[in-house]
Amino acid sequence: MLGEGLRPVASVGAGNVAAIKGLGEHIMKTATLSSTRNCWPFASMAFQVSPILKVAIEPANVADLAAFREGLSLLNRADPLVEYSISEKGEHVLAAAGKVHLEHCVENLRERFAKVELNVSEPLVSFKETIQGEGVGLVDSLKDPQGYVERIAPDGKFAVRVKVIRLPDALVKVLEENEELLSRTIKGQTARSDRAMGSQCPRDDDGRSVAVLRQDMLSAVESELEALSVRADEVKLEWYRKTLLGYLHKISALGPSQVGPNLLLMPGVKLSSGSTTIQNGREGILVRGTCHVSEKLGFVSVSDDAEISNGIIDDSEPSTDVPDHEALRNIIISGFQEVTNAGPLCDEPMWGLAFIVEPYIFSGSPDSVNCSYQHRAAVREACRAAVLQSKPRLVEPMYLCEVTTPIERLGSVYSVLGDCRAKVQEAEMQLETFLYMVHAHLPVAESSEFSEKLWNGSSGAATARLTFSHWEAVPQDPFFVPKTKEEIEEFGDGSNMGPNLAKKLINSVRRRKGLHVDDKVVKHGTKQRTRAKKV
């Protein structure tokens, strides 16, 4: 399109580049054009790089917002590697393949497509939040009786007890890889479409069925147990297996956004009297939520919950002060979704957690009113407090970094990877060449300057390719303070400790979001001397 000129033609042969007018409103990036509906579409183009560098961009003048949005739409269509989205906070997020690509995109947007002045933020990095718990320690954490956190609503009519546990990484991976199928299954879209097509088993676009997904979740549990078999005894492993399988039968919701890798569990314990004693000796009615997600995934059948009337375990007469089951379920799920969407560390989504929620309603309360906001706030605060007391950890995204370098520059490459907190996995020499291929896991937070550092360190001889790999928890405790005798002997009062990486990352995210950051300012001064006054 930027050649010497355009020449109208009636037909185009293979191997030529042609421009077709009038398709801009119907095609976003790529499409297959055919004269018949029976044409099978071509496969999407494959690129060796992916949009990894994200920035928030906005017009310098608010009056240019309309032209800015139109320019972004044109840039998104013109560049196959650009990704444009609007965040939940209303930010216009532009993703490019690297620093140089981003500079070209901003220049094209400013001079060709939007023709307005722009404000571009520093690179944005998404994090997630979780809790400590891995391997045998995860098994022991499930038996902790002190893990529950209790909160009572201001009106005194509603109380909730929450315990949070860490899910096995293999199970979290299955949930993340099947978000689309989970979304369609929970919403019932697959069930309706399959009934129309005469199929009994819902499937996604890749042909995966819910039955296969259910088996993958069970296999993930077994793989976790197999990995722990060399470090734990059989009795503990069997108890752990029954516990995890029991959790899969009590999933009321997923979060965030109804399909995330976090579980809401509402275990209903059948009581003979239908009530239990909670704070200050008060008797509350234990509410049992329906296992909606477990039913959709086929772990339980609808008949399993048939004996539960109105979701409340109670043999007595229903009270007019007790709200209906659907209202209670919506309150608890809403609080759960708010917490999993914005965790207590820096308002980032939660990752790989199961929240065991036990809600209680106190009957006989005076003047029943609609206090759904107070009750939802109680659920939210209980979940946040449960996370904070369970040793929270920050989770950062990791890239798979493949560096190709001559053997004489291999030492420089290792030095650059070390400076960027990368973890080298393996290095191998390519056949019939004098080049080495180094595979490493690189934190996304260190990737913005990685290409420049690699170029300078290797004098331009090394090249790298970055693709998203996985999420990994930062091992440092962001709230670490020396407490035990051994820690005090090693770190003293904490003033001589090195920088806390987790705390640094959390503070950077909180500053970007405008949240409160508790910075301690250390002032150094000299002791004031007073001279004796001669009389």
Side-chain angles (χ1 to χ4, degrees):
M1 294 293 292
L2 299 179
E4 296 181 356
L6 299 178
R7 181 166 60 93
V9 294
S11 62
V12 180
N16 297 284
V17 178
I20 304 177
K21 183 180 180 180
L23 298 178
E25 298 180 358
H26 308 286
I27 298 176
M28 178 59 68
K29 288 185 179 293
T30 61
T32 301
L33 301 182
S34 173
S35 58
T36 173
R37 293 178 180 271
N38 297 327
C39 175
W40 191 264
F42 292 122
S44 300
M45 291 185 293
F47 300 96
Q48 291 186 343
V49 295
S50 57
I52 58 176
L53 186 60
K54 296 181 180 181
V55 294
I57 190 169
E58 64 180 5
N61 190 352
V62 181
D64 298 329
L65 185 59
F68 168 73
R69 290 178 175 174
E70 180 64 21
L72 278 176
S73 178
L74 293 175
L75 176 65
N76 192 32
R77 295 177 182 178
D79 195 327
L81 283 179
V82 166
E83 288 185 0
Y84 162 64
S85 61
I86 299 179
S87 67
E88 297 179 355
K89 298 183 179 298
E91 296 175 321
H92 298 273
V93 179
L94 190 67
K99 187 175 182 179
V100 177
H101 183 215
L102 177 64
E103 292 175 355
H104 283 290
C105 291
V106 173
E107 182 181 358
N108 290 334
L109 185 61
R110 180 186 293 114
E111 298 180 359
R112 293 184 55 194
F113 297 114
K115 297 182 179 180
V116 298
E117 291 299 322
L118 304 172
N119 294 330
V120 184
S121 72
E122 294 295 326
L124 305 178
V125 179
S126 299
F127 293 91
K128 294 187 178 182
E129 302 178 22
T130 188
I131 63 173
Q132 187 182 31
E134 188 176 7
V136 180
L138 178 59
V139 181
D140 297 332
S141 65
L142 296 178
K143 295 184 177 182
D144 182 13
Q146 306 296 330
Y148 281 95
V149 172
E150 181 181 315
R151 289 292 184 272
I152 298 180
D155 62 353
K157 303 176 184 178
F158 177 81
V160 61
R161 298 175 72 242
V162 177
K163 181 179 181 179
V164 60
I165 64 168
R166 175 84 175 268
L167 294 175
D169 291 342
L171 179 59
V172 176
K173 183 178 180 180
V174 172
L175 295 175
E176 289 182 322
E177 293 177 348
N178 296 273
E179 285 190 354
E180 184 177 354
L181 178 58
L182 284 169
S183 177
R184 297 175 60 193
T185 303
I186 294 173
K187 294 178 181 178
Q189 297 175 358
T190 50
R192 290 193 295 269
S193 61
D194 290 328
R195 283 195 296 268
M197 298 175 61
S199 175
Q200 300 295 328
C201 190
R203 297 178 180 272
D204 65 358
D205 296 336
D206 298 328
R208 290 176 51 82
S209 66
V210 175
V212 175
L213 172 59
R214 182 172 62 251
Q215 184 59 42
D216 288 346
M217 296 175 67
L218 295 174
S219 300
V221 174
E222 294 299 329
S223 64
E224 176 74 11
L225 295 170
E226 183 178 355
L228 295 177
S229 59
V230 296
R231 293 179 290 171
D233 55 78
E234 295 184 0
V235 176
K236 182 180 293 186
L237 286 177
E238 184 62 26
W239 178 87
Y240 187 36
R241 175 185 286 107
K242 292 181 179 179
T243 301
L244 289 180
L245 295 179
Y247 288 162
L248 295 181
H249 288 72
K250 298 174 182 178
I251 307 175
S252 298
L254 302 177
S257 303
Q258 306 292 337
V259 292
N262 302 284
L263 310 181
L264 171 62
L265 310 176
M266 296 180 61
V269 183
K270 269 200 168 182
L271 305 175
S272 58
S273 61
S275 61
T276 186
T277 302
I278 203 168
Q279 190 179 29
N280 298 327
R282 300 180 62 186
E283 288 191 352
I285 301 175
L286 176 62
V287 180
R288 174 174 177 175
T290 56
C291 306
H292 176 68
V293 177
S294 295
E295 292 176 0
K296 292 291 185 178
L297 296 178
F299 286 107
V300 296
S301 60
V302 180
S303 59
D304 293 340
D305 292 336
E307 72 277 3
I308 303 174
S309 175
N310 233 7
I312 300 175
I313 307 174
D314 193 1
D315 298 335
S316 60
E317 294 295 328
S319 172
T320 58
D321 294 326
V322 178
D324 60 277
H325 167 58
E326 189 66 23
L328 284 172
R329 180 176 177 272
N330 292 336
I331 289 171
I332 297 168
I333 291 180
S334 297
F336 166 75
Q337 295 294 341
E338 290 180 9
V339 170
T340 54
N341 187 61
L345 294 181
C346 50
D347 278 1
E348 291 291 290
M350 306 300 296
W351 181 79
L353 300 181
F355 291 85
I356 305 175
V357 180
E358 295 182 359
Y360 296 88
I361 292 294
F362 299 113
S363 59
S365 301
D367 300 329
S368 177
V369 295
N370 184 14
C371 297
S372 60
Y373 175 78
Q374 297 182 11
H375 298 170
R376 185 172 68 251
V379 175
R380 181 179 65 249
E381 294 304 321
C383 292
R384 293 171 69 93
V387 172
L388 289 175
Q389 82 162 18
S390 302
K391 299 180 180 179
R393 293 292 185 269
L394 190 69
V395 185
E396 63 177 348
M398 305 291 290
Y399 283 133
L400 174 60
C401 177
E402 298 177 348
V403 182
T404 304
T405 177
I407 188 172
E408 61 269 14
R409 298 293 182 182
L410 188 60
S412 301
V413 169
Y414 277 119
S415 177
V416 173
L417 291 173
D419 291 340
C420 295
R421 298 194 291 118
K423 301 178 181 179
V424 178
Q425 303 300 312
E426 61 178 352
E428 56 184 359
M429 178 176 285
Q430 296 180 331
L431 297 177
E432 299 180 356
T433 66
F434 294 98
L435 300 177
Y436 261 87
M437 175 72 76
V438 181
H439 299 268
H441 288 148
L442 175 71
V444 177
E446 306 289 341
S447 63
S448 59
E449 303 294 335
F450 173 72
S451 298
E452 183 176 353
K453 291 181 179 179
L454 183 64
W455 177 273
N456 296 332
S458 64
S459 300
T463 58
R465 184 167 70 97
L466 303 179
T467 55
F468 178 77
S469 175
H470 64 285
W471 293 88
E472 184 174 314
V474 179
Q476 287 89 346
D477 183 358
F479 305 112
F480 174 75
V481 176
K483 295 180 180 179
T484 64
K485 183 178 180 180
E486 292 77 8
E487 293 174 347
I488 294 175
E489 290 180 354
E490 181 177 358
F491 302 106
D493 59 353
S495 59
N496 59 342
M497 291 191 306
N500 191 320
L501 175 63
K503 188 67 174 178
K504 178 182 177 182
L505 295 175
I506 291 174
N507 288 341
S508 64
V509 176
R510 293 184 68 88
R511 289 191 187 95
R512 176 169 59 85
K513 295 183 176 182
L515 302 175
H516 173 71
V517 177
D518 186 14
D519 286 329
K520 294 183 178 180
V521 179
V522 180
K523 295 183 179 180
H524 300 279
T526 58
K527 183 178 180 181
Q528 182 180 2
R529 294 185 303 170
T530 58
R531 295 184 177 181
K533 188 176 180 181
K534 295 182 179 180
V535 179

